[in-house]
């Protein structure tokens, strides 16, 4: 995914989550706190399998057979898990003028619910491993086990868990797999601004699928209380700082997620530190669709930057850790069930 820190002037969208009234029979629950609902357990082994299955297709670069096959697999899995599935097929134009046959894949859980939450990740692979230390590998496509497939695997397992759970969450959930996120070039597309919003942030040719969705919502008049984006959420020892634009647009959502993670014992992953501002798929939902969305993304604590295999040929299954998948998946489930 695109990983470029920058400054941006925009109006912060702060939306407080609705809270349930405490049960009068719960004498131990403080009167000013929402009742906590225990979420079902998240199966990290299952999430790992979904990541491995994506990787087995080969790099999911748009306009390739592996990309088509993986997209068909994701559609089939979401339908298997009881989701109402919408496919947004579109042609994306890259920074260098290429035309990509792309599709966003949306799986809807509890479509009748008026209160909705977006959970998202990108599913495509970067076409060149431009950060690889070996120049011979820099022109090869990225396998993208962590940078793409990990977030998708977590969300597939979340959908499966909810489908099989006796108690369902009270909110509607829209799982969105954004396409064409990772084709950008920071040097050659430095003037690729988004004029429709009035904000001069620079997409530098990345995040094409989320931009398309934000301008062409999958249902007329669609809105959501908030959204959570997953990006690079599977590496061993991953740390997730409070990403800068997430804190600008949706600080209450960031705090909700990080507090939930801490209560579940995952504060070593969700660290209580500010992070840099990152161009990612949460930008367009915030600035175009006006849906407050945050980014859970692996950044190195204290030094910035991303996990060592980012945009290299080494972004393989060897990086994926079940402990990290469990921390992210269980936190997401608890957030959803608490709404």
């Amino acid at each position: 995914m695109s990983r470029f820190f920058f400054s941006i002037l925009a109006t912060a969208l702060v939306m407080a989550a609705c809270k349930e009234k405490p049960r009068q029979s719960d004498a131990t629950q403080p009167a000013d706190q929402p009742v906590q609902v225990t979420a079902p357990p998240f199966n990290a082994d299952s999430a790992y399998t979904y990541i491995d299955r994506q990787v087995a297709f080969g790099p999911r670069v748009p306009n390739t057979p592996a990309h088509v096959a993986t997209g068909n697999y994701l559609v089939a899995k979401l339908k298997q898990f009881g989701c109402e599935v919408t496919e947004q097929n579109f042609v994306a134009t890259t920074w260098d003028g290429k035309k990509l046959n792309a599709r966003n894949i949306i799986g809807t859980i509890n479509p009748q619910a008026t209160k909705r939450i977006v959970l998202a990740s990108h599913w495509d692979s970067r076409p060149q491993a431009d950060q690889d230390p070996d120049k011979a590998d820099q022109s090869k496509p990225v396998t993208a086990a962590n940078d793409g497939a990990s977030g998708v695997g977590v969300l597939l397992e979340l959908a499966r868990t909810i489908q099989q759970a006796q108690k369902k969450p009270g909110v509607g959930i829209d799982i969105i797999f954004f396409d064409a996120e990772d084709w950008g070039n920071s040097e050659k597309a430095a003037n690729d601004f988004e004029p429709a919003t009035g904000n001069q942030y620079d997409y530098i040719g990345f995040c094409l699928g989320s931009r398309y969705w934000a301008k062409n919502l999958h249902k007329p008049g669609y809105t959501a209380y908030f959204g959570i984006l997953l990006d690079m959420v599977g590496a061993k020892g991953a740390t997730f700082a409070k990403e800068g634009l997430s804190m600008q647009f949706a600080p209450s959502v960031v705090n909700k997620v990080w507090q939930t993670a801490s209560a579940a014992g995952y504060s070593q992953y969700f660290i209580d530190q500010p992070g840099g501002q990152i161009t990612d798929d949460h930008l367009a939902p915030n600035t175009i669709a006006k849906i407050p969305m945050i980014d859970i993304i692996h950044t190195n604590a204290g030094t910035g930057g991303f996990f060592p295999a980012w945009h290299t040929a080494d972004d393989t299954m060897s990086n994926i850790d079940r402990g990290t998948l469990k921390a992210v998946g269980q936190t997401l489930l608890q957030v959803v069930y608490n709404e």
Side-chain angles (χ1 to χ4, degrees):
M1 75 90 21
S2 57
R3 309 287 180 264
F4 299 93
F5 297 77
F6 61 98
S7 296
I8 176 173
L9 295 176
T11 302
L13 303 176
V14 181
M15 183 174 291
C18 293
K19 295 183 177 180
E20 301 177 33
K21 293 181 179 179
R23 296 188 295 265
Q24 292 182 352
S25 59
D26 189 350
T28 64
Q29 185 73 36
D32 60 345
Q33 295 294 320
V35 173
Q36 300 295 302
V37 178
T38 301
F42 181 87
N43 190 324
D45 288 330
S46 181
Y48 184 97
T49 299
Y50 296 139
I51 299 167
D52 190 42
R53 186 67 186 89
Q54 293 171 76
V55 169
F57 285 109
R60 286 89 58 207
V61 177
N63 295 350
T64 67
H67 181 262
V68 173
T70 306
N72 293 341
Y73 166 77
L74 297 179
V75 169
K77 295 307 288 185
L78 288 172
K79 288 181 178 179
Q80 177 186 338
F81 299 149
C83 296
E84 175 186 285
V85 177
T86 303
E87 297 180 64
Q88 282 190 328
N89 293 286
F90 63 101
V91 176
T93 302
T94 68
W95 62 271
D96 53 354
K98 290 184 175 65
K99 301 295 183 181
L100 305 181
N101 296 310
R103 60 173 156 170
N104 294 327
I105 300 169
I106 302 102
T108 295
I109 298 172
N110 192 10
Q112 292 77 29
T114 56
K115 182 178 182 180
R116 310 205 62 78
I117 297 170
V118 174
L119 303 176
S121 180
H122 80 90
W123 67 277
D124 60 305
S125 296
R126 184 160 179 78
Q128 295 96 21
D130 54 296
Q131 298 298 314
D132 201 288
D134 187 344
K135 289 188 177 181
D137 287 335
Q138 290 178 359
S139 61
K140 297 178 181 178
V142 179
T143 302
N146 194 31
D147 192 359
S150 65
V152 172
V154 168
L155 295 182
L156 285 176
E157 176 56 19
L158 182 140
R160 188 195 70 84
T161 301
I162 291 174
Q163 179 211 33
Q164 296 186 355
Q166 290 186 347
K167 180 177 178 57
K168 310 295 184 185
V171 295
I173 301 167
D174 297 287
I175 294 173
I176 305 181
F177 298 143
F178 291 126
D179 202 356
E181 188 266 3
D182 224 345
W183 200 283
N185 184 303
S186 61
E187 296 179 359
K188 296 183 179 181
N191 294 315
D192 181 21
F193 295 114
E194 173 52 64
T197 65
N199 296 323
Q200 291 300 296
Y201 56 83
D202 186 356
Y203 269 100
I204 48 185
F206 290 89
C207 308
L208 301 179
S210 57
R211 291 171 71 178
Y212 182 88
W213 176 80
K215 297 175 183 178
N216 305 273
L217 298 171
H218 64 285
K219 291 186 178 181
Y222 177 83
T223 189
Y225 273 63
F226 62 86
I228 301 173
L229 174 69
L230 305 183
D231 203 344
M232 301 190 295
V233 294
K236 184 177 182 179
T239 52
F240 310 113
K242 295 180 175 180
E243 188 269 335
L245 293 177
S246 302
M247 288 300 292
Q248 178 176 328
F249 288 115
S252 64
V253 180
V254 174
N255 291 331
K256 177 203 302 282
V257 172
W258 263 247
Q259 289 167 6
T260 301
S262 178
Y266 300 127
S267 56
Q268 74 271 33
Y269 298 97
F270 292 80
I271 58 175
D272 189 13
Q273 294 181 14
Q277 297 182 336
I278 301 172
T279 302
D280 209 346
D281 276 326
H282 63 318
L283 262 180
N286 274 303
T287 57
I288 299 174
K290 307 303 181 185
I291 294 173
M293 180 179 283
I294 71 167
D295 193 4
I296 299 176
I297 181 170
H298 181 163
T299 53
N300 297 323
T303 62
F306 306 97
F307 85 111
W310 167 68
H311 286 187
T312 75
D314 292 328
D315 186 1
T316 63
M317 289 301 297
S318 63
N319 293 296
I320 302 303
D321 178 72
R322 290 171 175 82
T324 304
L325 298 175
K326 174 69 174 180
V328 175
Q330 196 64 59
T331 296
L332 276 188
L333 274 174
Q334 193 60 56
V335 168
V336 167
Y337 271 80
N338 281 347
E339 287 299 313

